């Protein structure tokens, strides 16, 4: 299997191009090759596939073998991959995902290489049953959840995949390993959930750390940054445009009031190419 190792703010992927469809053993491949000790090492395995609706289709298999409906950092990497290799007709690219449909991507390039990518992430989903959350509400705002005797309050948002945004005093130093897996698998979230621990620094700057469903702690999460901005606006904590600061760097997130679409801008990087031996 030929592959390219890529990342968006340290959220890293094994990217495979040229398969006609998602391999039947995609889950096994992800578990094997995403292992950081016995494999290549990555947060997920990404396949760039043909699409009948868009220029390309993206399928993301998490490191644990589960499939993610959408991934903001991965879609930027896919855009960079096809643009840098001349597989895109221009700087405007349409990429299909299973969770958020077809998304419009705009490449900002230097010397023929994609440097930053702006993605139309679509409209946030706020209705409980569609996120999904085992509650009623539209939006699901500042709701209580308890795990092992600790009480949190969360706001739920779907950006094609489910997110639970929790405000804490110090997101940067928050214990992701203790609380992330307990919240990811809480009965309130029937399809599990990505958990964003968040501290608002100002109206236009937000700190966030993430525990990703199926991957654990990652350096960045694009859909999580979008969900964090939406939740912060709904709670009255931030403006509609803000920098979301992740462990791997910053993403610029905009929630356009007229269209209700969320836009994400950030970098993507190619690390190396290779070929597996088995």
């Amino acid at each position: 299997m030929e592959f390219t190792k890529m990342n968006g703010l340290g959220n890293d992927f094994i990217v495979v191009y040229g398969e006609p469809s998602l391999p039947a053993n995609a889950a096994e491949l992800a578990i094997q090759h995403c292992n950081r000790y016995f494999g290549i090492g990555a947060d997920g395995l990404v396949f760039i596939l043909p699409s009948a609706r868009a220029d390309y289709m993206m399928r993301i298999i998490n490191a644990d073998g589960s499939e993610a409906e959408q991934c903001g950092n991965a879609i930027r990497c896919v855009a960079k991959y096809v643009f840098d290799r001349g597989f895109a007709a221009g700087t405007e690219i349409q990429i299909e995902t299973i969770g958020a449909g077809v998304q419009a991507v705009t490449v900002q390039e230097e010397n023929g290489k994609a440097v930053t990518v702006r993605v139309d992430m679509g409209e946030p989903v706020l209705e409980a049953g569609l996120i999904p959350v085992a509650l009623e509400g539209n939006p699901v705002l500042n709701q209580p959840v308890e795990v092992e005797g600790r009480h949190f309050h969360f706001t739920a948002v779907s950006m094609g995949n489910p997110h639970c945004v929790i405000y804490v005093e110090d997101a940067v130093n928050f214990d992701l390993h203790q609380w992330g897996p307990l919240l990811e698998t809480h009965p309130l979230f029937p399809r599990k959930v990505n958990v964003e621990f968040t501290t608002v620094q100002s109206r236009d700057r937000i700190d966030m750390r993430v525990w990703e469903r199926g991957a654990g702690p990652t350096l960045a999460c694009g859909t999580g940054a979008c969900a964090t901005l939406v939740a912060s606006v709904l709670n009255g904590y931030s403006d509609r445009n803000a920098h979301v600061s992740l462990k791997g760097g910053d993403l610029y997130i905009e929630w356009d009031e007229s269209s209700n679409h969320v836009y994400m801008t950030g970098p993507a990087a190619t690390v190396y190419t290779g070929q597996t031996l088995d």
Side-chain angles (χ1 to χ4, degrees):
M1 184 179 73
E2 295 183 353
F3 69 91
T4 301
K5 185 72 183 293
M6 305 186 74
N7 77 83
L9 295 179
N11 188 195
D12 60 340
F13 307 99
I14 302 163
V15 178
V16 176
Y17 175 89
E19 296 289 332
S21 61
L22 187 72
N25 64 337
E28 291 80 5
L29 289 171
I31 293 169
Q32 176 186 358
H33 294 305
C34 291
N35 188 294
R36 296 190 184 276
Y37 300 100
F38 297 101
I40 299 163
D43 293 322
L45 175 59
V46 175
F47 290 91
I48 304 175
L49 303 171
S51 170
R53 303 171 56 201
D55 297 315
Y56 294 97
M57 184 170 193
M58 175 180 74
R59 299 287 292 269
I60 315 108
I61 313 299
N62 292 318
D64 69 351
S66 62
E67 184 166 10
E69 301 94 337
Q70 167 61 313
C71 177
N73 290 315
I75 201 170
R76 297 200 314 277
C77 289
V78 168
K80 179 175 176 61
Y81 185 101
V82 298
F83 182 84
D84 287 2
R85 286 160 179 78
F87 299 160
T91 57
E92 304 291 329
I93 307 168
Q94 301 284 318
I95 300 174
E96 182 182 357
T97 68
I98 64 169
V102 176
Q103 296 188 297
V105 175
T106 303
V107 169
Q108 298 167 358
E109 58 94 13
E110 291 181 9
N111 300 317
K113 301 293 184 182
V115 178
T116 60
V117 180
R118 186 175 189 258
V119 184
D120 180 350
M121 299 291 286
E123 298 186 55
V125 176
L126 304 176
E127 184 177 339
L130 299 178
I131 293 172
V133 183
L135 293 171
E136 294 183 358
N138 184 6
V140 180
L141 194 67
N142 198 32
Q143 292 295 312
V145 59
E146 185 268 331
V147 285
E148 290 194 350
R150 180 159 181 176
H151 295 268
F152 297 96
H153 284 80
F154 73 94
T155 295
V157 179
S158 173
M159 292 302 307
N161 55 353
H163 294 271
C164 160
V165 181
I166 294 174
Y167 295 93
V168 296
E169 288 188 6
D170 182 6
V172 171
N173 296 301
F174 194 81
D175 191 344
L176 293 176
H177 290 273
Q178 180 175 1
W179 302 107
L182 297 173
L183 288 159
E184 176 193 357
T185 57
H186 193 282
L188 276 176
F189 308 107
R191 288 168 54 194
K192 300 185 180 180
V193 77
N194 299 281
V195 189
E196 285 79 36
F197 299 99
T198 303
T199 303
V200 177
Q201 298 294 349
S202 65
R203 300 289 301 181
D204 63 355
R205 181 160 291 276
I206 303 167
D207 289 340
M208 186 269 277
R209 296 295 182 266
V210 62
W211 179 275
E212 287 203 53
R213 180 185 59 163
T218 62
L219 297 184
C221 177
T223 55
C226 294
T228 293
L229 187 278
V230 170
S232 298
V233 172
L234 292 174
N235 282 284
Y237 299 150
S238 78
D239 296 334
R240 284 181 167 265
N241 301 335
H243 288 89
V244 179
S245 182
L246 308 138
K247 192 169 185 179
D250 288 5
L251 290 171
Y252 184 62
I253 311 297
E254 309 159 73
W255 187 13
D256 182 69
E257 190 168 8
S258 61
S259 68
N260 198 38
H261 282 224
V262 179
Y263 296 86
M264 170 195 63
T265 302
T270 300
V271 184
Y272 61 88
T273 60
Q275 186 174 24
T276 60
L277 299 178
D278 54 358

